[in-house]
Amino acid sequence: MGVVTESQFHVLAVDDSPFDRKMIERLLQKSSCQVTTVDSGSKALEFLGLRESNESDDPNATSTSPEVEINLIITDYCMPGMTGYDLLKRVKESAAFRSIPVVIMSSENVPARISRCLEEGAEEFFLKPVKLADLTKLKSHMMKPKLKKESEKPAAEVKPEIEEKESSVIEILTLHQELDSEQQEPVLSNNKRKSMEEVISTTDR
Amino acid sequence: MNNVVAQLQRQFHDYLVSLYQQGFLDNQFSELRKLQDDGTPDFVAEVVSLFFEDCSKLINTMSRSLERPENVDFKQVDSGVHQLKGSSSSVGARRVKNVCISFKECCDVQNREGCIRCLQQVDYEYKMLKTKLQDLFNLEQQILQAGGTIPQVDIN
């Protein structure tokens, strides 16, 4: 395992609009990410190596780039055929890819849509136009899974939370993530319990 | 030589500020400029050009959809407005975006006359912005050719 450097971050961006693809590609490049753009949910699944009808981790599944490790999927919500929500579901249902964070983008601020996506496991929901600051905030949040993979110490997870300036949304998502990972870490350290209590009191408005 | 560059830079600065002040552009345009760097010196020009091409195409299709009063495809018009609103928003084309908001309202109530007026307004606004930005890019080119750098412009 090497050191986590910024240049290793590979993002798969999905949007049916060529204009929006150009925008998100540049935003991601400017945030020091490697980018692959595709114009549909089905192309995204193809790229990942997930056949439409095959959800299992099939070593024989055909894939255009089986060796590519995707660290993040960022997708538009409104797309013909497979929506961003559909893609999110497919990814989260897949044993092989459910750990990849998925971010949804939309030009429309529909609270029901946002909560539906977050409930399905989306990491974040960005309103378009997406800004550089959104991605910077996202990246610091994204480093967590990588840090977690490389060192199983619970204390490592607390640090990124402290770095967040606008912490309420991120804290909610952190709680969501932590609850998901409970089975992997049955023993809660004091640090983790305290941070969870902080999140609960913050959301208690 | 220095004087020429300074003068051009001043012109550029003042012109860009006036575009913001007159409401042609909003903060999103400055977000766009942040994405341009030495490695991608034409990014803003390319994106803006793509946007104007989109405008032209979408206005044409919407115009056709609105043509016959007895058979207006409002669904198609709505789709066009949605796209235009999205891209104008991403580029910081404030006036175009604002017309799209009114345009959508006319579309929602299937007001053909209103839609046609909005279509004409969108056409006018995008062409106006196109001219303004062309002037801005020309100034940029002049600065670069005179050996200067493009000034950062803080609109806050």
Side-chain angles (χ1 to χ4, degrees):
Chain A
M1 284 278 148
V3 172
V4 176
T5 58
E6 287 186 312
S7 61
Q8 289 180 358
F9 237 84
H10 193 153
V11 181
L12 179 63
V14 191
D15 203 313
D16 61 313
S17 153
F19 180 89
D20 288 346
R21 277 201 302 280
K22 190 174 176 77
M23 289 293 298
I24 195 66
E25 182 184 56
R26 187 80 265 271
L27 278 161
L28 288 164
Q29 284 168 348
K30 193 75 183 165
S31 306
S32 310
C33 297
Q34 264 187 280
V35 194
T36 299
T37 59
V38 292
D39 64 8
S40 71
S42 43
K43 293 247 181 80
L45 292 176
E46 243 183 81
F47 183 83
L48 290 170
L50 263 175
R51 274 203 297 247
E52 292 281 334
S53 53
N54 180 6
E55 292 172 2
S56 66
D57 203 2
D58 182 3
N60 296 318
T62 51
S63 151
T64 47
S65 323
E67 301 310 318
V68 171
E69 196 208 335
I70 295 291
N71 303 116
L72 172 77
I73 298 168
I74 185 165
T75 177
D76 188 25
Y77 183 91
C78 279
M79 295 188 293
M82 188 182 288
T83 65
Y85 178 77
D86 298 329
L87 177 60
L88 167 68
K89 275 191 78 173
R90 290 301 315 279
V91 169
K92 294 301 167 187
E93 280 165 4
S94 144
F97 300 108
R98 69 163 60 107
S99 61
I100 302 178
V102 180
V103 171
I104 311 278
M105 305 179 279
S106 177
S107 53
E108 289 162 322
N109 189 350
V110 181
R113 176 185 292 182
I114 297 172
S115 47
R116 199 159 73 113
C117 289
L118 293 177
E119 277 163 29
E120 197 61 39
E123 202 68 28
E124 278 271 15
F125 190 101
F126 286 153
L127 279 177
K128 286 181 175 179
V130 177
K131 295 178 166 55
L132 211 50
D134 295 329
L135 290 178
T136 311
K137 191 169 82 164
L138 180 70
K139 270 201 92 183
S140 62
H141 183 54
M142 287 295 102
M143 295 313 268
K144 249 202 295 204
K146 280 220 155 199
L147 283 170
K148 195 171 152 179
K149 240 204 266 179
E150 274 150 31
S151 89
E152 288 297 325
K153 297 174 195 145
E157 290 173 35
V158 177
K159 266 187 254 160
E161 286 172 48
I162 298 166
E163 280 163 19
E164 296 302 331
K165 285 170 199 155
E166 275 180 67
S167 48
S168 53
V169 174
I170 303 293
E171 284 174 354
I172 294 164
L173 295 170
T174 306
L175 177 63
H176 178 89
Q177 272 189 331
E178 287 178 338
L179 289 171
D180 278 348
S181 64
E182 252 182 331
Q183 59 265 37
Q184 291 167 25
E185 294 180 51
V187 178
L188 282 179
S189 69
N190 281 335
N191 271 347
K192 200 167 176 182
R193 190 176 295 121
K194 184 174 182 229
S195 71
M196 279 175 77
E197 281 168 1
E198 276 172 358
V199 169
I200 292 162
S201 63
T202 309
T203 55
D204 215 2
R205 292 196 193 104
Chain B
M1 178 89 148
N2 249 353
N3 196 23
V4 170
V5 169
Q7 220 178 349
L8 288 168
Q9 286 172 330
R10 177 97 233 148
Q11 250 185 295
F12 175 87
H13 175 274
D14 291 348
Y15 193 63
L16 185 50
V17 167
S18 77
L19 291 180
Y20 286 117
Q21 285 175 342
Q22 289 167 46
F24 286 103
L25 298 171
D26 63 29
N27 189 55
Q28 186 55 29
F29 188 75
S30 59
E31 288 289 322
L32 212 67
R33 293 189 80 225
K34 281 188 206 169
L35 297 175
Q36 184 163 292
D37 54 31
D38 292 337
T40 55
D42 302 316
F43 176 70
V44 177
E46 281 170 9
V47 166
V48 155
S49 172
L50 250 180
F51 168 64
F52 292 137
E53 275 171 33
D54 267 3
C55 284
S56 174
K57 264 185 284 187
L58 289 168
I59 288 169
N60 272 336
T61 20
M62 287 191 286
S63 179
R64 276 197 301 265
S65 299
L66 287 164
E67 209 164 358
R68 297 198 326 269
E70 73 281 5
N71 188 18
V72 177
D73 187 354
F74 281 107
K75 215 173 157 206
Q76 200 286 320
V77 179
D78 185 71
S79 163
V81 177
H82 178 83
Q83 281 183 69
L84 215 47
K85 180 162 175 269
S87 51
S88 60
S89 180
S90 295
V91 151
R94 187 174 162 275
R95 287 196 189 182
V96 177
K97 183 188 77 173
N98 285 341
V99 177
C100 289
I101 294 171
S102 313
F103 202 158
K104 180 157 198 329
E105 286 167 9
C106 291
C107 211
D108 288 345
V109 297
Q110 307 208 334
N111 175 1
R112 179 177 173 266
E113 293 299 319
C115 282
I116 291 173
R117 273 197 305 270
C118 288
L119 186 70
Q120 287 166 345
Q121 227 186 324
V122 159
D123 190 61
Y124 172 82
E125 290 296 346
Y126 103 81
K127 283 173 177 163
M128 169 80 95
L129 182 62
K130 192 172 175 186
T131 322
K132 300 272 179 191
L133 289 180
Q134 196 52 61
D135 290 343
L136 190 73
F137 294 142
N138 285 341
L139 271 172
E140 269 191 352
Q141 285 309 306
Q142 286 178 58
I143 293 172
L144 293 171
Q145 276 163 21
T149 53
I150 314 298
Q152 297 289 347
V153 175
D154 185 5
I155 51 159
N156 303 309

